Amino acid sequence: MFIRGHGISDPPAYRERIERMANDGARRRTRAGLWLLQQLLAAAGYSGNTVERIGFSASGQPQIAGAPAFSISHSDRLVACALCDNARIGLDVEYRRLRDMTRMARLLDPAERQHVERTPMAFFDYWCAREATVKASGRVGLKRIRAIDLEGNTARLDDHPWCLNAIDLSSDYAACLASDRPIGPVEFREFSVAGSENTGPQKSSDR
């Protein structure tokens, strides 16, 4: 389930981190992600102060004891959050834009690099799949992104297969949800920047 919006008071574990952020844009996006998480948890029946209990694992992964796994990602004007109660998950979204792919493409395998040379915007699909996988694993970093093997809707990392769900949020964005097991249909909700829910139809995906 994905929501877009903004506005939440800073949970205690996040206050110092948010204060250290380099600019107001980064702070707004972080707070938007936390607000989305709060809405998802409320919709799932958790109390309104559940987000206040957010903390970090030994590897630095955000988590809430006694609550479902979650993952937050943002790029450009899009902020997204995923929530799952029966799998470890990682979400990544990326705004598709023209840029010099030479340095970043080194993180891809040879076949992927050839594809990106022909279709530059495909880079963001590969990147989202890799970034989502390391986030789901709980340990991030460029070395781990480079260590991933992608094959269709599966990524392999740490000798473990991770399920990949390519998410069609917008033609301007690539998005992927990785999980340590199949998770079935993915439900979507969208909120405007002002925080009002879009009343259009929900979508689902079994990919």
Side-chain angles (χ1 to χ4, degrees):
M1 186 177 290
F2 300 82
I3 300 179
R4 184 167 55 186
H6 76 304
I8 186 176
S9 59
D10 300 338
Y14 263 81
R15 288 171 187 164
E16 183 178 350
R17 173 178 291 203
I18 290 173
E19 289 174 0
R20 293 199 309 265
M21 290 179 177
N23 56 68
D24 288 339
R27 284 186 279 272
R28 284 194 300 270
R29 288 187 290 270
T30 298
R31 287 167 173 149
L34 293 169
W35 181 84
L36 295 178
L37 175 60
Q38 178 177 272
Q39 308 312 304
L40 287 174
L41 289 168
Y46 290 83
S47 65
N49 65 351
T50 301
V51 171
E52 294 292 309
R53 298 192 286 103
I54 195 170
F56 298 95
S57 69
S59 62
Q61 185 180 39
Q63 59 185 17
I64 303 175
F70 65 90
S71 186
I72 298 169
S73 183
H74 52 75
S75 181
D76 195 60
R77 298 177 62 83
L78 178 69
V79 181
C81 178
L83 188 72
C84 185
D85 60 4
N86 61 2
R88 296 162 59 192
I89 58 171
L91 172 68
D92 192 52
V93 300
E94 294 291 339
Y95 178 62
R96 300 183 192 270
R97 70 251 188 221
L98 290 173
R99 56 180 296 183
D100 182 3
M101 304 293 186
T102 305
R103 183 176 66 87
M104 299 300 291
R106 295 173 185 169
L107 299 172
L108 308 181
D109 69 26
E112 293 165 359
R113 287 197 294 271
Q114 290 179 4
H115 185 199
V116 169
E117 288 176 2
R118 298 190 305 270
T119 311
M121 292 302 170
F123 168 81
F124 298 101
D125 298 299
Y126 292 124
W127 179 262
C128 281
R130 290 172 177 273
E131 180 71 14
T133 300
V134 298
K135 290 175 72 174
S137 77
R139 294 166 48 222
V140 300
L142 293 180
K143 287 185 178 180
R144 290 179 60 73
I145 287 175
R146 190 180 294 114
I148 293 171
D149 291 323
L150 297 178
E151 184 174 348
N153 294 328
T154 303
R156 182 164 289 276
L157 178 65
D158 300 330
D159 294 322
H160 179 81
W162 300 85
C163 301
L164 301 176
N165 293 269
I167 306 297
D168 183 15
L169 294 178
S170 165
S171 60
D172 293 332
Y173 291 86
C176 185
L177 180 66
S179 58
D180 66 345
R181 66 195 69 182
I183 57 176
V186 177
E187 298 179 0
F188 299 81
R189 292 184 185 179
E190 183 176 356
F191 279 68
S192 70
V193 174
S196 299
E197 187 172 3
N198 185 330
T199 55
Q202 295 187 4
K203 300 179 290 182
S204 64
S205 170
D206 292 307
R207 291 172 297 178

